PDB file of all heavy atoms in Angstrom:
ATOM      1  N   LYS A   1       0.816  -1.214   0.000  1.00 86.00           N
ATOM      2  CA  LYS A   1       0.000   0.000   0.000  1.00 86.00           C
ATOM      3  C   LYS A   1       0.856   1.274   0.000  1.00 86.00           C
ATOM      4  O   LYS A   1       0.346   2.367   0.226  1.00 86.00           O
ATOM      5  CB  LYS A   1      -0.931   0.001   1.213  1.00 86.00           C
ATOM      6  CG  LYS A   1      -2.000  -1.085   1.150  1.00 86.00           C
ATOM      7  CD  LYS A   1      -2.991  -0.955   2.297  1.00 86.00           C
ATOM      8  CE  LYS A   1      -4.108  -1.994   2.170  1.00 86.00           C
ATOM      9  NZ  LYS A   1      -5.107  -1.864   3.247  1.00 86.00           N
ATOM     10  N   GLY A   2       2.166   1.106  -0.249  1.00 85.00           N
ATOM     11  CA  GLY A   2       3.030   2.274  -0.371  1.00 85.00           C
ATOM     12  C   GLY A   2       3.721   2.690   0.903  1.00 85.00           C
ATOM     13  O   GLY A   2       4.371   3.744   0.938  1.00 85.00           O
ATOM     14  N   TYR A   3       3.606   1.880   1.964  1.00 85.00           N
ATOM     15  CA  TYR A   3       4.278   2.208   3.219  1.00 85.00           C
ATOM     16  C   TYR A   3       5.788   2.129   3.026  1.00 85.00           C
ATOM     17  O   TYR A   3       6.295   1.188   2.420  1.00 85.00           O
ATOM     18  CB  TYR A   3       3.837   1.242   4.310  1.00 85.00           C
ATOM     19  CG  TYR A   3       4.336   1.587   5.694  1.00 85.00           C
ATOM     20  CD1 TYR A   3       3.591   2.411   6.531  1.00 85.00           C
ATOM     21  CD2 TYR A   3       5.548   1.092   6.167  1.00 85.00           C
ATOM     22  CE1 TYR A   3       4.036   2.733   7.798  1.00 85.00           C
ATOM     23  CE2 TYR A   3       6.001   1.414   7.434  1.00 85.00           C
ATOM     24  CZ  TYR A   3       5.248   2.228   8.248  1.00 85.00           C
ATOM     25  OH  TYR A   3       5.703   2.546   9.503  1.00 85.00           O
ATOM     26  N   THR A   4       6.507   3.109   3.530  1.00 79.00           N
ATOM     27  CA  THR A   4       7.968   3.132   3.390  1.00 79.00           C
ATOM     28  C   THR A   4       8.620   3.121   4.764  1.00 79.00           C
ATOM     29  O   THR A   4       8.036   3.578   5.754  1.00 79.00           O
ATOM     30  CB  THR A   4       8.441   4.383   2.629  1.00 79.00           C
ATOM     31  OG1 THR A   4       7.991   5.551   3.328  1.00 79.00           O
ATOM     32  CG2 THR A   4       7.902   4.393   1.213  1.00 79.00           C
ATOM     33  N   LEU A   5       9.829   2.596   4.813  1.00 77.00           N
ATOM     34  CA  LEU A   5      10.587   2.562   6.051  1.00 77.00           C
ATOM     35  C   LEU A   5      11.429   3.817   6.165  1.00 77.00           C
ATOM     36  O   LEU A   5      11.863   4.393   5.162  1.00 77.00           O
ATOM     37  CB  LEU A   5      11.487   1.327   6.081  1.00 77.00           C
ATOM     38  CG  LEU A   5      10.759  -0.017   6.002  1.00 77.00           C
ATOM     39  CD1 LEU A   5      11.778  -1.148   5.883  1.00 77.00           C
ATOM     40  CD2 LEU A   5       9.870  -0.218   7.206  1.00 77.00           C
ATOM     41  N   TYR A   6      11.671   4.254   7.381  1.00 70.00           N
ATOM     42  CA  TYR A   6      12.511   5.429   7.586  1.00 70.00           C
ATOM     43  C   TYR A   6      13.919   5.144   7.075  1.00 70.00           C
ATOM     44  O   TYR A   6      14.430   4.038   7.184  1.00 70.00           O
ATOM     45  CB  TYR A   6      12.548   5.795   9.066  1.00 70.00           C
ATOM     46  CG  TYR A   6      11.249   6.376   9.543  1.00 70.00           C
ATOM     47  CD1 TYR A   6      10.338   5.606  10.254  1.00 70.00           C
ATOM     48  CD2 TYR A   6      10.915   7.691   9.265  1.00 70.00           C
ATOM     49  CE1 TYR A   6       9.134   6.135  10.689  1.00 70.00           C
ATOM     50  CE2 TYR A   6       9.711   8.229   9.682  1.00 70.00           C
ATOM     51  CZ  TYR A   6       8.826   7.449  10.404  1.00 70.00           C
ATOM     52  OH  TYR A   6       7.635   7.974  10.819  1.00 70.00           O
ATOM     53  N   GLY A   7      14.527   6.162   6.513  1.00 61.00           N
ATOM     54  CA  GLY A   7      15.851   5.999   5.945  1.00 61.00           C
ATOM     55  C   GLY A   7      15.825   5.536   4.498  1.00 61.00           C
ATOM     56  O   GLY A   7      16.862   5.393   3.873  1.00 61.00           O
ATOM     57  N   SER A   8      14.614   5.322   3.945  1.00 62.00           N
ATOM     58  CA  SER A   8      14.524   4.812   2.582  1.00 62.00           C
ATOM     59  C   SER A   8      14.320   5.916   1.551  1.00 62.00           C
ATOM     60  O   SER A   8      14.177   5.643   0.372  1.00 62.00           O
ATOM     61  CB  SER A   8      13.372   3.803   2.482  1.00 62.00           C
ATOM     62  OG  SER A   8      12.128   4.413   2.803  1.00 62.00           O
ATOM     63  N   ILE A   9      14.279   7.180   1.986  1.00 62.00           N
ATOM     64  CA  ILE A   9      14.142   8.281   1.041  1.00 62.00           C
ATOM     65  C   ILE A   9      15.452   8.460   0.289  1.00 62.00           C
ATOM     66  O   ILE A   9      16.503   8.662   0.907  1.00 62.00           O
ATOM     67  CB  ILE A   9      13.758   9.591   1.750  1.00 62.00           C
ATOM     68  CG1 ILE A   9      12.387   9.449   2.417  1.00 62.00           C
ATOM     69  CG2 ILE A   9      13.761  10.756   0.783  1.00 62.00           C
ATOM     70  CD1 ILE A   9      11.925  10.701   3.124  1.00 62.00           C
ATOM     71  N   PRO A  10      15.449   8.374  -1.036  1.00 64.00           N
ATOM     72  CA  PRO A  10      16.697   8.482  -1.798  1.00 64.00           C
ATOM     73  C   PRO A  10      17.211   9.914  -1.820  1.00 64.00           C
ATOM     74  O   PRO A  10      16.473  10.853  -1.520  1.00 64.00           O
ATOM     75  CB  PRO A  10      16.267   8.033  -3.204  1.00 64.00           C
ATOM     76  CG  PRO A  10      14.812   8.400  -3.282  1.00 64.00           C
ATOM     77  CD  PRO A  10      14.266   8.181  -1.899  1.00 64.00           C
ATOM     78  N   PRO A  11      18.483  10.109  -2.169  1.00 64.00           N
ATOM     79  CA  PRO A  11      19.019  11.467  -2.285  1.00 64.00           C
ATOM     80  C   PRO A  11      18.237  12.280  -3.319  1.00 64.00           C
ATOM     81  O   PRO A  11      17.843  11.759  -4.363  1.00 64.00           O
ATOM     82  CB  PRO A  11      20.463  11.235  -2.736  1.00 64.00           C
ATOM     83  CG  PRO A  11      20.779   9.835  -2.315  1.00 64.00           C
ATOM     84  CD  PRO A  11      19.489   9.076  -2.436  1.00 64.00           C
ATOM     85  N   MET A  12      18.008  13.531  -3.014  1.00 61.00           N
ATOM     86  CA  MET A  12      17.233  14.406  -3.887  1.00 61.00           C
ATOM     87  C   MET A  12      18.094  15.586  -4.334  1.00 61.00           C
ATOM     88  O   MET A  12      19.034  15.987  -3.653  1.00 61.00           O
ATOM     89  CB  MET A  12      15.996  14.925  -3.160  1.00 61.00           C
ATOM     90  CG  MET A  12      15.012  13.847  -2.770  1.00 61.00           C
ATOM     91  SD  MET A  12      14.112  13.212  -4.200  1.00 61.00           S
ATOM     92  CE  MET A  12      13.173  11.897  -3.432  1.00 61.00           C
ATOM     93  N   ALA A  13      17.715  16.137  -5.496  1.00 59.00           N
ATOM     94  CA  ALA A  13      18.464  17.275  -6.026  1.00 59.00           C
ATOM     95  C   ALA A  13      18.158  18.547  -5.251  1.00 59.00           C
ATOM     96  O   ALA A  13      18.986  19.451  -5.170  1.00 59.00           O
ATOM     97  CB  ALA A  13      18.129  17.469  -7.500  1.00 59.00           C
ATOM     98  N   SER A  14      16.970  18.636  -4.663  1.00 74.00           N
ATOM     99  CA  SER A  14      16.582  19.861  -3.976  1.00 74.00           C
ATOM    100  C   SER A  14      15.835  19.534  -2.696  1.00 74.00           C
ATOM    101  O   SER A  14      15.284  18.442  -2.525  1.00 74.00           O
ATOM    102  CB  SER A  14      15.684  20.722  -4.879  1.00 74.00           C
ATOM    103  OG  SER A  14      14.431  20.083  -5.076  1.00 74.00           O
ATOM    104  N   GLN A  15      15.810  20.500  -1.812  1.00 75.00           N
ATOM    105  CA  GLN A  15      15.091  20.327  -0.550  1.00 75.00           C
ATOM    106  C   GLN A  15      13.592  20.226  -0.805  1.00 75.00           C
ATOM    107  O   GLN A  15      12.883  19.514  -0.095  1.00 75.00           O
ATOM    108  CB  GLN A  15      15.389  21.490   0.383  1.00 75.00           C
ATOM    109  CG  GLN A  15      14.807  21.299   1.783  1.00 75.00           C
ATOM    110  CD  GLN A  15      15.205  22.400   2.738  1.00 75.00           C
ATOM    111  OE1 GLN A  15      15.552  23.491   2.311  1.00 75.00           O
ATOM    112  NE2 GLN A  15      15.150  22.125   4.028  1.00 75.00           N
ATOM    113  N   GLU A  16      13.105  20.925  -1.835  1.00 80.00           N
ATOM    114  CA  GLU A  16      11.682  20.887  -2.143  1.00 80.00           C
ATOM    115  C   GLU A  16      11.238  19.479  -2.512  1.00 80.00           C
ATOM    116  O   GLU A  16      10.175  19.017  -2.081  1.00 80.00           O
ATOM    117  CB  GLU A  16      11.364  21.857  -3.287  1.00 80.00           C
ATOM    118  CG  GLU A  16      11.439  23.335  -2.913  1.00 80.00           C
ATOM    119  CD  GLU A  16      12.868  23.815  -2.712  1.00 80.00           C
ATOM    120  OE1 GLU A  16      13.811  23.167  -3.252  1.00 80.00           O
ATOM    121  OE2 GLU A  16      13.056  24.833  -2.027  1.00 80.00           O
ATOM    122  N   GLU A  17      12.051  18.782  -3.329  1.00 79.00           N
ATOM    123  CA  GLU A  17      11.716  17.407  -3.700  1.00 79.00           C
ATOM    124  C   GLU A  17      11.718  16.501  -2.477  1.00 79.00           C
ATOM    125  O   GLU A  17      10.840  15.647  -2.307  1.00 79.00           O
ATOM    126  CB  GLU A  17      12.727  16.888  -4.733  1.00 79.00           C
ATOM    127  CG  GLU A  17      12.632  17.544  -6.094  1.00 79.00           C
ATOM    128  CD  GLU A  17      13.704  17.021  -7.036  1.00 79.00           C
ATOM    129  OE1 GLU A  17      14.878  16.956  -6.634  1.00 79.00           O
ATOM    130  OE2 GLU A  17      13.347  16.661  -8.171  1.00 79.00           O
ATOM    131  N   TRP A  18      12.701  16.686  -1.631  1.00 76.00           N
ATOM    132  CA  TRP A  18      12.828  15.881  -0.416  1.00 76.00           C
ATOM    133  C   TRP A  18      11.593  16.075   0.472  1.00 76.00           C
ATOM    134  O   TRP A  18      10.996  15.117   0.966  1.00 76.00           O
ATOM    135  CB  TRP A  18      14.098  16.301   0.319  1.00 76.00           C
ATOM    136  CG  TRP A  18      14.412  15.514   1.557  1.00 76.00           C
ATOM    137  CD1 TRP A  18      13.775  15.603   2.762  1.00 76.00           C
ATOM    138  CD2 TRP A  18      15.439  14.530   1.713  1.00 76.00           C
ATOM    139  NE1 TRP A  18      14.341  14.750   3.661  1.00 76.00           N
ATOM    140  CE2 TRP A  18      15.364  14.078   3.057  1.00 76.00           C
ATOM    141  CE3 TRP A  18      16.417  14.012   0.873  1.00 76.00           C
ATOM    142  CZ2 TRP A  18      16.238  13.119   3.558  1.00 76.00           C
ATOM    143  CZ3 TRP A  18      17.284  13.061   1.383  1.00 76.00           C
ATOM    144  CH2 TRP A  18      17.192  12.621   2.704  1.00 76.00           C
ATOM    145  N   LEU A  19      11.214  17.324   0.697  1.00 77.00           N
ATOM    146  CA  LEU A  19      10.089  17.625   1.568  1.00 77.00           C
ATOM    147  C   LEU A  19       8.782  17.090   0.994  1.00 77.00           C
ATOM    148  O   LEU A  19       7.913  16.618   1.726  1.00 77.00           O
ATOM    149  CB  LEU A  19       9.994  19.135   1.804  1.00 77.00           C
ATOM    150  CG  LEU A  19      11.111  19.750   2.640  1.00 77.00           C
ATOM    151  CD1 LEU A  19      10.986  21.269   2.655  1.00 77.00           C
ATOM    152  CD2 LEU A  19      11.088  19.201   4.054  1.00 77.00           C
ATOM    153  N   GLU A  20       8.643  17.174  -0.325  1.00 81.00           N
ATOM    154  CA  GLU A  20       7.412  16.689  -0.959  1.00 81.00           C
ATOM    155  C   GLU A  20       7.249  15.183  -0.759  1.00 81.00           C
ATOM    156  O   GLU A  20       6.163  14.701  -0.405  1.00 81.00           O
ATOM    157  CB  GLU A  20       7.430  17.026  -2.450  1.00 81.00           C
ATOM    158  CG  GLU A  20       6.159  16.620  -3.175  1.00 81.00           C
ATOM    159  CD  GLU A  20       6.168  17.017  -4.643  1.00 81.00           C
ATOM    160  OE1 GLU A  20       7.081  17.764  -5.053  1.00 81.00           O
ATOM    161  OE2 GLU A  20       5.262  16.572  -5.383  1.00 81.00           O
ATOM    162  N   LEU A  21       8.337  14.429  -0.971  1.00 79.00           N
ATOM    163  CA  LEU A  21       8.266  12.984  -0.797  1.00 79.00           C
ATOM    164  C   LEU A  21       8.081  12.629   0.669  1.00 79.00           C
ATOM    165  O   LEU A  21       7.310  11.719   1.013  1.00 79.00           O
ATOM    166  CB  LEU A  21       9.539  12.332  -1.337  1.00 79.00           C
ATOM    167  CG  LEU A  21       9.609  10.798  -1.227  1.00 79.00           C
ATOM    168  CD1 LEU A  21       8.413  10.154  -1.918  1.00 79.00           C
ATOM    169  CD2 LEU A  21      10.913  10.271  -1.816  1.00 79.00           C
ATOM    170  N   ASN A  22       8.750  13.354   1.553  1.00 77.00           N
ATOM    171  CA  ASN A  22       8.620  13.072   2.978  1.00 77.00           C
ATOM    172  C   ASN A  22       7.201  13.351   3.469  1.00 77.00           C
ATOM    173  O   ASN A  22       6.658  12.618   4.291  1.00 77.00           O
ATOM    174  CB  ASN A  22       9.617  13.904   3.772  1.00 77.00           C
ATOM    175  CG  ASN A  22       9.839  13.362   5.157  1.00 77.00           C
ATOM    176  OD1 ASN A  22      10.547  12.381   5.341  1.00 77.00           O
ATOM    177  ND2 ASN A  22       9.226  13.987   6.142  1.00 77.00           N
ATOM    178  N   ALA A  23       6.581  14.419   2.946  1.00 79.00           N
ATOM    179  CA  ALA A  23       5.208  14.738   3.319  1.00 79.00           C
ATOM    180  C   ALA A  23       4.258  13.636   2.860  1.00 79.00           C
ATOM    181  O   ALA A  23       3.307  13.280   3.566  1.00 79.00           O
ATOM    182  CB  ALA A  23       4.804  16.078   2.722  1.00 79.00           C
ATOM    183  N   SER A  24       4.518  13.087   1.667  1.00 82.00           N
ATOM    184  CA  SER A  24       3.700  11.986   1.167  1.00 82.00           C
ATOM    185  C   SER A  24       3.844  10.760   2.061  1.00 82.00           C
ATOM    186  O   SER A  24       2.854  10.096   2.403  1.00 82.00           O
ATOM    187  CB  SER A  24       4.112  11.645  -0.271  1.00 82.00           C
ATOM    188  OG  SER A  24       3.427  10.497  -0.733  1.00 82.00           O
ATOM    189  N   ASN A  25       5.085  10.460   2.473  1.00 81.00           N
ATOM    190  CA  ASN A  25       5.311   9.323   3.364  1.00 81.00           C
ATOM    191  C   ASN A  25       4.620   9.532   4.706  1.00 81.00           C
ATOM    192  O   ASN A  25       4.057   8.594   5.289  1.00 81.00           O
ATOM    193  CB  ASN A  25       6.809   9.121   3.582  1.00 81.00           C
ATOM    194  CG  ASN A  25       7.514   8.615   2.340  1.00 81.00           C
ATOM    195  OD1 ASN A  25       6.890   8.063   1.442  1.00 81.00           O
ATOM    196  ND2 ASN A  25       8.821   8.818   2.271  1.00 81.00           N
ATOM    197  N   PHE A  26       4.656  10.769   5.209  1.00 82.00           N
ATOM    198  CA  PHE A  26       4.011  11.097   6.474  1.00 82.00           C
ATOM    199  C   PHE A  26       2.505  10.833   6.390  1.00 82.00           C
ATOM    200  O   PHE A  26       1.902  10.265   7.307  1.00 82.00           O
ATOM    201  CB  PHE A  26       4.279  12.556   6.820  1.00 82.00           C
ATOM    202  CG  PHE A  26       3.622  13.020   8.083  1.00 82.00           C
ATOM    203  CD1 PHE A  26       4.175  12.711   9.319  1.00 82.00           C
ATOM    204  CD2 PHE A  26       2.466  13.767   8.047  1.00 82.00           C
ATOM    205  CE1 PHE A  26       3.570  13.143  10.491  1.00 82.00           C
ATOM    206  CE2 PHE A  26       1.855  14.200   9.213  1.00 82.00           C
ATOM    207  CZ  PHE A  26       2.408  13.892  10.442  1.00 82.00           C
ATOM    208  N   GLU A  27       1.906  11.221   5.270  1.00 86.00           N
ATOM    209  CA  GLU A  27       0.468  11.020   5.088  1.00 86.00           C
ATOM    210  C   GLU A  27       0.135   9.533   5.026  1.00 86.00           C
ATOM    211  O   GLU A  27      -0.851   9.077   5.627  1.00 86.00           O
ATOM    212  CB  GLU A  27       0.009  11.721   3.811  1.00 86.00           C
ATOM    213  CG  GLU A  27      -1.492  11.655   3.591  1.00 86.00           C
ATOM    214  CD  GLU A  27      -1.936  12.481   2.400  1.00 86.00           C
ATOM    215  OE1 GLU A  27      -1.107  13.218   1.834  1.00 86.00           O
ATOM    216  OE2 GLU A  27      -3.119  12.391   2.027  1.00 86.00           O
ATOM    217  N   ILE A  28       0.950   8.767   4.305  1.00 87.00           N
ATOM    218  CA  ILE A  28       0.712   7.326   4.200  1.00 87.00           C
ATOM    219  C   ILE A  28       0.828   6.664   5.566  1.00 87.00           C
ATOM    220  O   ILE A  28       0.008   5.805   5.934  1.00 87.00           O
ATOM    221  CB  ILE A  28       1.692   6.685   3.201  1.00 87.00           C
ATOM    222  CG1 ILE A  28       1.367   7.147   1.776  1.00 87.00           C
ATOM    223  CG2 ILE A  28       1.642   5.158   3.281  1.00 87.00           C
ATOM    224  CD1 ILE A  28       2.377   6.709   0.737  1.00 87.00           C
ATOM    225  N   ARG A  29       1.838   7.050   6.353  1.00 86.00           N
ATOM    226  CA  ARG A  29       2.004   6.466   7.670  1.00 86.00           C
ATOM    227  C   ARG A  29       0.839   6.819   8.589  1.00 86.00           C
ATOM    228  O   ARG A  29       0.391   6.004   9.398  1.00 86.00           O
ATOM    229  CB  ARG A  29       3.336   6.904   8.282  1.00 86.00           C
ATOM    230  CG  ARG A  29       4.490   5.989   7.885  1.00 86.00           C
ATOM    231  CD  ARG A  29       5.751   6.323   8.652  1.00 86.00           C
ATOM    232  NE  ARG A  29       6.521   7.365   8.001  1.00 86.00           N
ATOM    233  CZ  ARG A  29       7.425   7.146   7.052  1.00 86.00           C
ATOM    234  NH1 ARG A  29       7.655   5.928   6.645  1.00 86.00           N
ATOM    235  NH2 ARG A  29       8.098   8.139   6.519  1.00 86.00           N
ATOM    236  N   GLY A  30       0.357   8.053   8.474  1.00 87.00           N
ATOM    237  CA  GLY A  30      -0.792   8.457   9.280  1.00 87.00           C
ATOM    238  C   GLY A  30      -2.038   7.670   8.924  1.00 87.00           C
ATOM    239  O   GLY A  30      -2.779   7.208   9.807  1.00 87.00           O
ATOM    240  N   GLU A  31      -2.278   7.503   7.627  1.00 91.00           N
ATOM    241  CA  GLU A  31      -3.437   6.723   7.186  1.00 91.00           C
ATOM    242  C   GLU A  31      -3.309   5.265   7.623  1.00 91.00           C
ATOM    243  O   GLU A  31      -4.295   4.622   8.008  1.00 91.00           O
ATOM    244  CB  GLU A  31      -3.570   6.817   5.663  1.00 91.00           C
ATOM    245  CG  GLU A  31      -3.939   8.215   5.160  1.00 91.00           C
ATOM    246  CD  GLU A  31      -3.867   8.315   3.642  1.00 91.00           C
ATOM    247  OE1 GLU A  31      -3.345   7.360   3.014  1.00 91.00           O
ATOM    248  OE2 GLU A  31      -4.330   9.331   3.099  1.00 91.00           O
ATOM    249  N   THR A  32      -2.085   4.740   7.564  1.00 92.00           N
ATOM    250  CA  THR A  32      -1.839   3.363   7.985  1.00 92.00           C
ATOM    251  C   THR A  32      -2.130   3.192   9.463  1.00 92.00           C
ATOM    252  O   THR A  32      -2.790   2.228   9.876  1.00 92.00           O
ATOM    253  CB  THR A  32      -0.377   2.972   7.696  1.00 92.00           C
ATOM    254  OG1 THR A  32      -0.127   3.075   6.298  1.00 92.00           O
ATOM    255  CG2 THR A  32      -0.098   1.548   8.152  1.00 92.00           C
ATOM    256  N   ALA A  33      -1.648   4.127  10.272  1.00 92.00           N
ATOM    257  CA  ALA A  33      -1.867   4.055  11.716  1.00 92.00           C
ATOM    258  C   ALA A  33      -3.351   4.088  12.052  1.00 92.00           C
ATOM    259  O   ALA A  33      -3.834   3.311  12.883  1.00 92.00           O
ATOM    260  CB  ALA A  33      -1.136   5.204  12.410  1.00 92.00           C
ATOM    261  N   LEU A  34      -4.086   4.973  11.397  1.00 92.00           N
ATOM    262  CA  LEU A  34      -5.517   5.096  11.676  1.00 92.00           C
ATOM    263  C   LEU A  34      -6.268   3.833  11.269  1.00 92.00           C
ATOM    264  O   LEU A  34      -7.135   3.343  12.005  1.00 92.00           O
ATOM    265  CB  LEU A  34      -6.092   6.314  10.951  1.00 92.00           C
ATOM    266  CG  LEU A  34      -7.579   6.614  11.196  1.00 92.00           C
ATOM    267  CD1 LEU A  34      -7.845   6.822  12.678  1.00 92.00           C
ATOM    268  CD2 LEU A  34      -8.022   7.828  10.378  1.00 92.00           C
ATOM    269  N   ALA A  35      -5.914   3.283  10.094  1.00 94.00           N
ATOM    270  CA  ALA A  35      -6.590   2.065   9.622  1.00 94.00           C
ATOM    271  C   ALA A  35      -6.325   0.887  10.558  1.00 94.00           C
ATOM    272  O   ALA A  35      -7.245   0.121  10.894  1.00 94.00           O
ATOM    273  CB  ALA A  35      -6.130   1.730   8.204  1.00 94.00           C
ATOM    274  N   LEU A  36      -5.070   0.737  11.010  1.00 95.00           N
ATOM    275  CA  LEU A  36      -4.741  -0.372  11.908  1.00 95.00           C
ATOM    276  C   LEU A  36      -5.392  -0.180  13.269  1.00 95.00           C
ATOM    277  O   LEU A  36      -5.827  -1.147  13.910  1.00 95.00           O
ATOM    278  CB  LEU A  36      -3.232  -0.493  12.048  1.00 95.00           C
ATOM    279  CG  LEU A  36      -2.474  -0.925  10.792  1.00 95.00           C
ATOM    280  CD1 LEU A  36      -0.968  -0.921  11.041  1.00 95.00           C
ATOM    281  CD2 LEU A  36      -2.923  -2.307  10.322  1.00 95.00           C
ATOM    282  N   TRP A  37      -5.470   1.059  13.738  1.00 94.00           N
ATOM    283  CA  TRP A  37      -6.118   1.332  15.016  1.00 94.00           C
ATOM    284  C   TRP A  37      -7.600   0.962  14.964  1.00 94.00           C
ATOM    285  O   TRP A  37      -8.126   0.339  15.886  1.00 94.00           O
ATOM    286  CB  TRP A  37      -5.948   2.803  15.388  1.00 94.00           C
ATOM    287  CG  TRP A  37      -6.473   3.134  16.753  1.00 94.00           C
ATOM    288  CD1 TRP A  37      -5.791   3.078  17.933  1.00 94.00           C
ATOM    289  CD2 TRP A  37      -7.808   3.568  17.077  1.00 94.00           C
ATOM    290  NE1 TRP A  37      -6.614   3.446  18.982  1.00 94.00           N
ATOM    291  CE2 TRP A  37      -7.851   3.746  18.483  1.00 94.00           C
ATOM    292  CE3 TRP A  37      -8.955   3.822  16.324  1.00 94.00           C
ATOM    293  CZ2 TRP A  37      -9.007   4.175  19.149  1.00 94.00           C
ATOM    294  CZ3 TRP A  37     -10.107   4.231  16.987  1.00 94.00           C
ATOM    295  CH2 TRP A  37     -10.131   4.409  18.374  1.00 94.00           C
ATOM    296  N   LYS A  38      -8.267   1.350  13.885  1.00 94.00           N
ATOM    297  CA  LYS A  38      -9.687   1.016  13.745  1.00 94.00           C
ATOM    298  C   LYS A  38      -9.887  -0.490  13.655  1.00 94.00           C
ATOM    299  O   LYS A  38     -10.868  -1.033  14.176  1.00 94.00           O
ATOM    300  CB  LYS A  38     -10.261   1.699  12.504  1.00 94.00           C
ATOM    301  CG  LYS A  38     -10.402   3.217  12.630  1.00 94.00           C
ATOM    302  CD  LYS A  38     -10.981   3.811  11.366  1.00 94.00           C
ATOM    303  CE  LYS A  38     -11.189   5.321  11.491  1.00 94.00           C
ATOM    304  NZ  LYS A  38     -11.733   5.919  10.243  1.00 94.00           N
ATOM    305  N   GLU A  39      -8.956  -1.159  13.001  1.00 94.00           N
ATOM    306  CA  GLU A  39      -9.052  -2.599  12.825  1.00 94.00           C
ATOM    307  C   GLU A  39      -8.870  -3.345  14.148  1.00 94.00           C
ATOM    308  O   GLU A  39      -9.595  -4.310  14.434  1.00 94.00           O
ATOM    309  CB  GLU A  39      -7.984  -3.046  11.829  1.00 94.00           C
ATOM    310  CG  GLU A  39      -7.932  -4.528  11.546  1.00 94.00           C
ATOM    311  CD  GLU A  39      -6.823  -4.859  10.569  1.00 94.00           C
ATOM    312  OE1 GLU A  39      -6.700  -4.165   9.532  1.00 94.00           O
ATOM    313  OE2 GLU A  39      -6.070  -5.821  10.830  1.00 94.00           O
ATOM    314  N   LEU A  40      -7.947  -2.878  14.982  1.00 95.00           N
ATOM    315  CA  LEU A  40      -7.611  -3.591  16.213  1.00 95.00           C
ATOM    316  C   LEU A  40      -8.407  -3.110  17.417  1.00 95.00           C
ATOM    317  O   LEU A  40      -8.742  -3.909  18.285  1.00 95.00           O
ATOM    318  CB  LEU A  40      -6.114  -3.439  16.497  1.00 95.00           C
ATOM    319  CG  LEU A  40      -5.561  -4.143  17.733  1.00 95.00           C
ATOM    320  CD1 LEU A  40      -5.709  -5.659  17.595  1.00 95.00           C
ATOM    321  CD2 LEU A  40      -4.093  -3.786  17.958  1.00 95.00           C
TER     322      LEU A  40
END
């Protein structure tokens, strides 16, 4: 479902690219946490 492990963000040419991908990972992790919490 697109969950990524910390430290798996590849090197980026710019800080903007890095932040954009990190924000996406943050959203996925948040959605994952909420789904698992509701399930359990």
Side-chain angles (χ1 to χ4, degrees):
K1 293 186 176 182
Y3 187 90
T4 58
L5 300 174
Y6 288 101
S8 61
I9 297 181
M12 296 287 175
S14 68
Q15 187 175 22
E16 288 72 22
E17 291 177 312
W18 183 286
L19 291 173
E20 183 177 350
L21 180 56
N22 198 77
S24 174
N25 290 339
F26 178 79
E27 184 174 352
I28 291 173
R29 273 188 273 273
E31 293 172 350
T32 300
L34 183 58
L36 293 176
W37 186 89
K38 289 180 177 179
E39 179 181 313
L40 181 64

